[in-house]
Amino acid sequence: MTLSRAACTLLAASLIATPLAAREIAFRVEARTVHSYEIEICDPEVELIADGDDDTDLDYRITDSTGAVVHEDKGGTDRAAARLVNLKSAGCTAYDLEVTNLGNVFNLMKVTLGAPSGATSDDGRDRRVTFENKRDEAIYFLRWSRGEEPRWGEDRLGDEVIMGGGSWTGTVDDGGNACVYDFKIETASDEVVMRMDVDVCEARRIVID
């Protein structure tokens, strides 16, 4: 398969505000091409999520200004996630995101830059929430996001599941001092349960029934 290299495109992704607000930018990655996007990280640490439209397989490589590879994803999907660090005490650190479309059609890729998962807000409020599964079946996936964010975050359960009648406790926080979140829960039978506009600074439990 022959791949052509597209001209470099500047990804306007300098994140300066604190707390971080997620930014999402969409790109059309043409079939059988290699695209390169320059990223400037101005906050101490940023989580990058690249997510294609599932039409083709995308491979990702992120390099620093010296050309050293800091993240690489050559799996069979079109999604990648990485944390990028600003190595400068003043100014921004530049990275290069190289995307290879291995398919025969274009892929509409979205790049989201935001606060790293597990970031902690500085307002001292307790955001620990217990999710109680009152159903007979297990919960396989749990995702959350602030209401104004365009996309759901990663699955928070990882290798864990919440068995029927069981519970799971986690801290709902993205480092932005927000209290109101939306939740997307997926069960073993692929049913999707939504809990919207939950104030995690006040609510101590969320019941899935």
Side-chain angles (χ1 to χ4, degrees), residues 178-199:
C179 286
V180 179
Y181 285 80
D182 299 332
F183 296 88
K184 181 180 180 181
I185 298 115
E186 297 177 55
T187 70
S189 62
D190 294 328
E191 182 179 355
V192 175
V193 180
M194 311 293 285
R195 293 291 184 268
M196 311 299 285
D197 297 326
V198 178
D199 187 339

Side-chain angles (χ1 to χ4, degrees), residues 3 19 21 24-25 37 51 55 64 69 72 86-87 103 132 152 173 191-192 195 206:
L3 296 174
E24 181 182 271
I25 307 171
Y37 308 95
D51 201 357
D55 284 345
D64 62 18
V69 177
E72 192 167 28
N86 183 7
L87 301 176
E132 298 183 3
W152 292 105
D173 198 350
E191 182 179 355
V192 175
R195 293 291 184 268
I206 296 175

Side-chain angles (χ1 to χ4, degrees), residues 111-161:
V111 175
T112 303
L113 294 162
S117 301
T120 303
S121 296
D122 59 6
D123 59 1
R125 304 192 70 174
D126 186 359
R127 291 172 170 82
R128 287 175 298 175
V129 177
T130 297
F131 296 82
E132 298 183 3
N133 182 11
K134 298 296 187 181
R135 298 190 167 209
D136 294 331
E137 62 177 337
I139 291 171
Y140 281 0
F141 301 102
L142 170 63
R143 296 178 173 87
W144 63 64
S145 70
R146 285 190 281 173
E148 69 271 18
E149 300 296 352
R151 301 175 70 84
W152 292 105
E154 64 186 89
D155 172 39
R156 306 295 174 159
L157 295 179
D159 294 332
E160 299 182 63
V161 299

Side-chain angles (χ1 to χ4, degrees), residues 78-99:
D78 59 0
R79 189 178 190 275
R83 289 194 180 192
L84 301 181
V85 177
N86 183 7
L87 301 176
K88 298 181 179 179
S89 57
C92 305
T93 297
Y95 291 91
D96 181 77
L97 170 63
E98 182 181 273
V99 184

Side-chain angles (χ1 to χ4, degrees), residues 13-22 39-48 82-88 91-93 95 112-120 174-175:
S14 297
L15 300 179
I16 301 173
T18 301
L20 291 171
I39 305 169
E40 287 189 338
I41 302 301
C42 302
D43 284 284
E45 188 174 14
V46 170
E47 182 175 49
L48 178 149
R83 289 194 180 192
L84 301 181
V85 177
N86 183 7
L87 301 176
K88 298 181 179 179
C92 305
T93 297
Y95 291 91
T112 303
L113 294 162
S117 301
T120 303
D174 66 1

